[in-house]
């Protein structure tokens, strides 16, 4: 299944930090911390795609829609953030709207679940899989990874301050 | 060749500005402490934090309020998605440019350099600093700078922080930086 996995329990440096800083392990392994970071990551992807950009190593503008498809979209009931001519992987908003954060295991996982789509045999996960082949979007760019890591450092330091008061 | 804006801070110049009134013995002890690698790392991080906080408050490096965003830009879908109805100019759309600032130093050297760790974000920053950004067309919003006096104030605060706390912060940064997605 496609998605953004951020698993941090295998890093040697992380284990060393867990052992030397009191409270560190408790913070980074807490579900609330991982959920907050996962939701932050999901938001980055959601806004980028809605703005019309995909991602691999850097953001790129999603390819334009075909003229025939734009014509079809003019009579479709479009979802939030969709306009007939805008290429932002949004028609009904079911796929992007279903993006989910899981905190099972260590770290977090942002993915599109295999939920049913209205009036279609395809699941949201299957559709996302097809789209990923030609319009990769469910990744983080190098710059976005830095944003997530920077947020992670900030959250850990804030929580540690509270914990060690 | 891509242009990466840089700020070079001479740690000993800043040190002299911060502690010139202290007795020689105190200065000698402090000096050996601030030249430690973990101290330089934390000092660099705090200078970056200072630049980010000032930028997010809507002020440029001279303390002036940033030029307003154009009407067309505020009406754009991208702006609506990221900023909604917010009108304050803080140079933070995705947050990538500000998050990509990093501090470089050598183990024994006295120079700390703040620069951008990503080519795209460096180009974006260059556009803001010089006004050569395509999107806003000629508007200078120079957020990238810190004076020796501002750095000296940070240094004075930092010397009151325990070595243990400084080492802890450096350890967290190192651990998070080593993680892979």
């Amino acid at each position: 299944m496609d998605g953004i996995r951020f698993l941090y329990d295998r890093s040697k440096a992380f284990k060393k930090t867990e052992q030397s800083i009191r409270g560190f392990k408790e913070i980074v392994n807490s579900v609330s911390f991982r959920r907050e970071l996962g939701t932050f990551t999901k938001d980055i992807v959601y806004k980028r795609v809605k703005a019309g950009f995909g991602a691999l190593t850097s953001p790129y503008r999603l390819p334009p829609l075909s003229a025939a498809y734009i014509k079809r979209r003019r009579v479709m009931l479009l979802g939030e953030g969709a306009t007939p001519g805008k290429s932002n992987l949004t028609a009904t908003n079911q796929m992007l709207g279903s993006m989910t954060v899981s905190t099972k295991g260590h770290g977090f996982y942002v993915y599109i679940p295999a939920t049913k789509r209205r009036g279609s045999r395809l699941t949201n996960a299957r559709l996302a899989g097809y789209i990923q082949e030609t319009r990769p979007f469910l990744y983080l760019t190098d710059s976005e990874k830095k944003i997530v890591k920077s947020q992670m450092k900030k959250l850990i330091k804030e929580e540690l301050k509270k914990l060690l008061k | 060749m891509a242009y990466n804006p840089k700020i070079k801070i001479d740690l000993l110049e800043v040190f002299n500005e911060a502690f010139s009134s202290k007795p020689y013995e105190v200065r000698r002890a402090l000096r050996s402490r601030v030249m430690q690698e973990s101290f330089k790392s934390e000092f660099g991080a705090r200078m970056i934090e200072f630049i980010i906080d000032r930028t997010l408050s809507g002020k440029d490096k001279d303390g002036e309020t940033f030029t307003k965003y154009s009407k067309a830009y505020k009406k754009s879908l991208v702006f609506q998605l990221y900023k909604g109805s917010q009108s304050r100019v803080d140079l933070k759309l995705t947050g990538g440019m500000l998050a990509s600032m990093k501090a470089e130093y050598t183990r024994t050297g006295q120079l700390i350099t703040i620069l951008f760790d990503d080519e795209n974000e460096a180009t974006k920053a260059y556009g803001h600093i010089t006004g050569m950004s395509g999107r806003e067309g000629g508007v200078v919003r120079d957020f990238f700078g810190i004076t020796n006096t501002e750095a000296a104030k940070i240094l004075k605060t930092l010397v009151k922080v325990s070595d243990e706390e400084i080492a802890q912060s450096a350890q967290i940064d190192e651990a998070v930086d080593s993680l892979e997605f």
Side-chain angles (χ1 to χ4, degrees), chain B residues 25-78:
Chain B
E25 287 306 316
V26 176
R27 270 191 287 140
R28 208 172 75 157
L30 281 177
R31 188 181 150 138
S32 75
R33 188 171 174 229
V34 303
M35 287 301 284
Q36 284 170 12
E37 227 179 324
S38 57
F39 199 97
K40 282 189 252 185
S41 162
E42 186 62 18
F43 181 50
R46 290 196 182 206
M47 285 194 289
I48 290 172
E49 206 177 293
F50 173 82
I51 295 170
I52 292 175
D53 288 347
R54 186 191 55 214
T55 306
L56 294 180
S57 77
K59 303 267 193 254
D60 68 12
K61 68 175 188 180
D62 299 318
E64 303 287 334
T65 307
F66 287 124
T67 310
K68 285 181 181 171
Y69 291 128
S70 68
K71 276 185 187 167
Y73 181 50
K74 281 173 83 169
K75 272 186 187 166
S76 70
L77 171 69
V78 173

Side-chain angles (χ1 to χ4, degrees), chain A residues 5-6 8 11 13-14 17 20-21 47-48 50-51 58 86 140 143 145-149 153 157 160, chain B residues 77-78 81-82 94-96 99-100 117-118 120-121 168-169 171-173 175-181:
Chain A
R5 291 169 201 271
F6 193 28
Y8 45 68
S11 154
F14 220 61
T17 313
S20 62
I21 303 179
K47 282 180 177 165
R48 180 199 351 101
K50 285 281 180 182
S58 60
K86 179 78 184 167
L140 290 180
S143 171
K145 285 176 187 170
K146 284 191 192 99
I147 298 173
V148 175
K149 286 183 176 183
K153 288 175 194 172
K157 288 176 189 176
L160 263 181
Chain B
L77 171 69
V78 173
L81 269 167
Y82 285 95
T94 63
S100 74
D117 197 16
D118 182 289
N120 290 331
E121 302 301 345
Q168 185 175 289
S169 177
Q171 222 180 332
I172 292 169
D173 290 348
V176 174
D177 285 338
S178 72
L179 298 176
E180 296 287 339
F181 280 84

Side-chain angles (χ1 to χ4, degrees), chain A residues 47-77:
Chain A
K47 282 180 177 165
R48 180 199 351 101
V49 176
K50 285 281 180 182
F53 294 91
L56 268 176
T57 53
S58 60
Y60 76 97
R61 198 170 279 282
L62 290 163
L65 305 173
S66 69
Y69 185 47
I70 292 174
K71 209 171 167 186
R72 257 177 60 208
R73 281 165 68 101
R74 287 215 170 98
V75 291
M76 279 168 73
L77 191 62

Side-chain angles (χ1 to χ4, degrees), chain A:
Chain A
M1 193 166 21
D2 284 316
I4 298 163
R5 291 169 201 271
F6 193 28
L7 304 172
Y8 45 68
D9 61 326
R10 288 176 195 152
S11 154
K12 269 187 196 167
F14 220 61
K15 280 188 177 154
K16 203 175 112 192
T17 313
E18 282 179 349
Q19 284 158 5
S20 62
I21 303 179
R22 191 164 55 90
F24 184 83
K25 190 173 182 175
E26 191 186 316
I27 292 166
V28 296
N29 286 331
S30 75
V31 172
S32 61
F33 174 84
R34 288 182 286 137
R35 183 156 297 284
E36 187 171 347
L37 207 57
T39 307
F40 180 81
T41 305
K42 182 181 107 170
D43 200 44
I44 289 175
V45 176
Y46 186 85
K47 282 180 177 165
R48 180 199 351 101
V49 176
K50 285 281 180 182
F53 294 91
L56 268 176
T57 53
S58 60
Y60 76 97
R61 198 170 279 282
L62 290 163
L65 305 173
S66 69
Y69 185 47
I70 292 174
K71 209 171 167 186
R72 257 177 60 208
R73 281 165 68 101
R74 287 215 170 98
V75 291
M76 279 168 73
L77 191 62
L78 296 172
E80 189 193 303
T83 59
K86 179 78 184 167
S87 174
N88 62 356
L89 309 187
T90 308
T92 60
N93 200 36
Q94 289 179 84
M95 183 191 74
L96 283 180
S98 73
M99 200 164 21
T100 302
V101 178
S102 166
T103 52
K104 273 183 192 164
H106 297 270
F108 63 83
Y109 182 33
V110 177
Y111 68 105
I112 307 276
T115 44
K116 283 183 179 171
R117 295 174 55 77
R118 283 188 304 275
S120 170
R121 285 187 186 172
L122 273 181
T123 62
N124 283 309
R126 182 65 68 87
L127 177 65
Y130 289 144
I131 293 173
Q132 284 275 83
E133 287 171 18
T134 52
R135 292 171 159 84
F137 70 99
L138 198 48
Y139 299 99
L140 290 180
T141 65
D142 292 343
S143 171
E144 288 167 344
K145 285 176 187 170
K146 284 191 192 99
I147 298 173
V148 175
K149 286 183 176 183
S150 161
Q151 179 71 2
M152 186 174 184
K153 288 175 194 172
K154 192 177 145 203
L155 288 176
I156 293 172
K157 288 176 189 176
E158 277 172 9
E159 287 301 313
L160 263 181
K161 256 186 198 167
K162 280 188 228 161
L163 202 73
L164 301 177
K165 249 183 186 174

Side-chain angles (χ1 to χ4, degrees), chain B residues 112-180:
Chain B
I112 299 177
T113 308
I114 300 174
L115 69 165
F116 294 86
D117 197 16
D118 182 289
E119 204 178 301
N120 290 331
E121 302 301 345
T123 307
K124 211 188 282 178
Y126 179 71
H128 284 303
I129 294 165
T130 60
M132 290 170 81
S133 158
R135 189 180 292 156
E136 284 280 303
V139 178
V140 175
R141 295 190 180 97
D142 191 358
F143 67 100
F144 196 52
I146 183 166
T147 62
N148 273 2
T149 310
E150 288 163 338
K153 209 170 162 188
I154 295 168
L155 195 64
K156 277 182 183 171
T157 312
L158 190 56
V159 293
K160 291 176 192 155
V161 178
S162 70
D163 278 340
E164 194 190 354
E165 205 177 314
I166 289 172
Q168 185 175 289
S169 177
Q171 222 180 332
I172 292 169
D173 290 348
E174 192 191 332
V176 174
D177 285 338
S178 72
L179 298 176
E180 296 287 339

